[in-house]
Amino acid sequence: MEDDAQVGQGEDLRKFILAALSASHRNVVNCALCHRALPVFEQFPLVDGTLFLSPSRHDEIEYDVPCHLQGRLMHLYAVCVDCLEGVHKIICIKCKSRWDGSWHQLGTMYTYDILAASPCCQPHLN
């Protein structure tokens, strides 16, 4: 598993994620986009897709795994491989453009919100 944190922190990151999931009594996470159940594995990759943290709670996503990173409350989410690769058409409800997650690396943990990182339109940005 790769991460966008500093080199050598992969094991710490794995423990952080598993501890946050354990505290929330979860061994399955749902894809933030299609809601498919993704089993959580103890070894890399942790899910069949990618994980990301968001400082904002997405009310439209049906679950929330709160966790603290560097003293900040973050929310852990997942996106499945099918949504990342475009098997499921993910369309912006504001401008109707298609979301492309194919450039995200599978098995990765992003410490930023990948859904907000590349806004397609001004309403999405707001």
Side-chain angles (χ1 to χ4, degrees):
M1 179 168 128
E2 297 291 328
D3 58 63
D4 66 346
Q6 295 176 352
V7 175
Q9 292 182 340
E11 183 61 21
D12 290 341
L13 188 58
R14 183 185 76 81
K15 289 178 183 176
F16 165 77
I17 295 166
L18 292 175
L21 292 168
S22 178
S24 294
H25 308 289
R26 298 192 64 89
N27 61 3
V28 172
V29 293
N30 296 336
C31 175
L33 299 172
C34 72
H35 309 290
R36 181 176 129 204
L38 302 171
V40 177
F41 307 107
E42 290 187 26
Q43 299 299 319
F44 299 129
L46 294 176
V47 296
D48 186 20
T50 195
L51 297 165
F52 69 95
L53 294 174
S54 176
S56 303
R57 185 179 187 298
H58 294 286
D59 292 330
E60 67 277 5
I61 299 174
E62 63 190 57
Y63 75 94
D64 183 40
V65 179
C67 49
H68 293 276
L69 180 66
Q70 299 171 346
R72 292 179 53 197
L73 176 64
M74 301 292 276
H75 305 275
L76 179 67
Y77 297 104
V79 176
C80 73
V81 67
D82 288 346
C83 287
L84 289 170
E85 295 297 323
V87 173
H88 300 136
K89 286 186 177 181
I90 307 301
I91 306 294
C92 174
I93 61 173
K94 305 293 184 187
C95 71
K96 307 298 183 214
S97 64
R98 190 170 178 178
W99 182 75
D100 179 17
S102 63
W103 62 275
H104 294 291
Q105 187 173 0
L106 298 177
T108 300
M109 168 65 178
Y110 291 94
T111 55
Y112 61 88
D113 190 330
I114 64 172
L115 301 178
S118 54
C120 53
C121 59
Q122 188 61 40
H124 185 91
L125 184 61
N126 294 338

